[in-house]
Amino acid sequence: MRKTGAVTGTEVRLAKSDELVSATDTKGVITFANEAFCRIAKYTSDELLGQAHNLLRHPDMPSAAFKSLWHTIQTGDSWLGVVKNRCKNGDHYWVSAHVTPALQNGKVVGYESVRSPASLHIIARAESCYKRLNEGNTPIPRSIILKQKFELYLMFFCILLLLGIGLSYALTNMSIILVVQVAGASIIGTLPFWLAAQFKFRKIADNGLKIINDPLATYIYTGRTDAYGVVLFAQLAQRKMLKTALGRFGE
């Protein structure tokens, strides 16, 4: 990893309107940096042009995040992720970065990136995941994955149970034991429909993975590790693609 100097621990917060736009060649050497990028990073344009983009790398960023970035963009796909960058004076700033390959006659000739402010709760998740990666752990605690699966099934069970009990109690004057039996039967009866709905939703999630497939970024941006998170992240990625195209056009 390139050594870029000491860090101060002081965060520079981006304004909502800030868009940091840059471009590099295929080797990651900076060929363009807009005014907002220079202002936040505290470099002049002349200091950035011709330099490798990892000049801005903060030591808290795990190498695995950049491996994912390069693997994605070198295959011609766009990458979306949360990045902690280092300013020239050692301060740092967090951004939501969308990186896309720049094509010319169907060939990748460089990469363009538009960065916008990341919300505090997304930064908090990114910081936790990156810290775990740097410590040699899995970025997402297994307890979170199991908790979300348990919550999903518990919610489904409770809804059907309450529905069965409510209908039985409202329509008849049965004993509580019989009501519970009817509720149990209603759960069993509706289970195939729930499984069918889950299958359809899974197919929607699979389409989302064709747009963008990054489990870590999915969790950081959505707080989810399941199919619901995949769909939410794919929708977010599509909005970012449009914003990136507009940002590049504006510059």
Side-chain angles (χ1 to χ4, degrees):
M1 181 180 78
R2 178 173 181 168
K3 305 251 182 224
T4 55
V7 294
T8 64
T10 301
E11 181 178 2
V12 177
R13 288 294 297 168
L14 276 68
K16 288 184 178 181
S17 59
D18 279 334
E19 280 194 344
L20 283 55
V21 182
S22 65
T24 71
D25 63 15
T26 54
K27 294 183 179 179
V29 175
I30 299 172
T31 58
F32 172 79
N34 74 342
E35 182 277 331
F37 186 16
C38 296
R39 171 170 47 83
I40 296 297
K42 305 184 189 305
Y43 285 95
T44 66
S45 178
D46 289 340
E47 288 176 318
L48 289 173
L49 296 182
Q51 294 292 323
H53 207 289
N54 62 9
L55 172 72
L56 301 156
R57 183 168 177 173
H58 194 282
D60 287 350
M61 283 297 298
S63 58
F66 292 105
K67 286 180 181 178
S68 170
L69 163 63
W70 281 105
H71 173 75
T72 300
I73 61 177
Q74 286 177 340
T75 56
D77 293 326
S78 298
W79 182 86
L80 176 62
V82 178
V83 179
K84 183 180 186 179
N85 279 338
R86 180 187 176 279
C87 303
K88 181 181 178 180
N89 67 345
D91 294 348
H92 67 270
Y93 60 96
W94 286 92
V95 289
S96 174
H98 190 243
V99 186
T100 57
L103 302 176
Q104 194 173 78
N105 298 323
K107 181 181 178 181
V108 176
V109 295
Y111 305 103
E112 297 172 342
S113 176
V114 175
R115 304 169 193 81
S116 55
S119 62
L120 292 178
H121 65 279
I122 289 177
I123 291 174
R125 278 197 293 266
E127 205 161 19
S128 174
C129 289
Y130 295 161
K131 183 174 184 292
R132 288 178 59 86
L133 277 172
N134 286 328
E135 292 172 347
N137 299 316
T138 56
I140 308 172
R142 180 146 184 86
S143 59
I144 290 179
I145 299 174
L146 294 175
K147 178 175 177 287
Q148 291 185 356
K149 287 183 177 180
F150 174 76
E151 287 174 348
L152 177 65
Y153 288 104
L154 179 63
M155 179 181 67
F156 164 73
F157 175 80
C158 289
I159 289 174
L160 291 183
L161 181 61
L162 291 173
L163 178 63
I165 292 175
L167 287 175
S168 300
Y169 190 77
L171 298 175
T172 68
N173 200 16
M174 294 185 293
S175 66
I176 189 62
I177 295 177
L178 192 54
V179 167
V180 171
Q181 290 175 339
V182 172
S186 69
I187 291 175
I188 295 173
T190 56
L191 184 59
F193 298 100
W194 181 78
L195 292 175
Q198 287 294 302
F199 176 75
K200 289 181 179 179
F201 191 73
R202 184 68 255 180
K203 290 186 69 175
I204 296 173
D206 289 341
N207 289 331
L209 291 175
K210 294 176 183 177
I211 297 173
I212 189 164
N213 185 0
D214 190 327
L216 176 56
T218 297
Y219 171 70
I220 289 174
Y221 277 96
T222 70
R224 305 293 307 180
T225 61
D226 52 12
Y228 182 57
V230 169
V231 173
L232 289 177
F233 188 51
Q235 292 175 336
L236 174 63
Q238 287 185 313
R239 291 197 298 270
K240 287 287 186 180
M241 288 176 191
L242 176 59
K243 187 173 182 180
T244 295
L246 293 173
R248 287 158 52 189
F249 179 76
E251 292 297 334

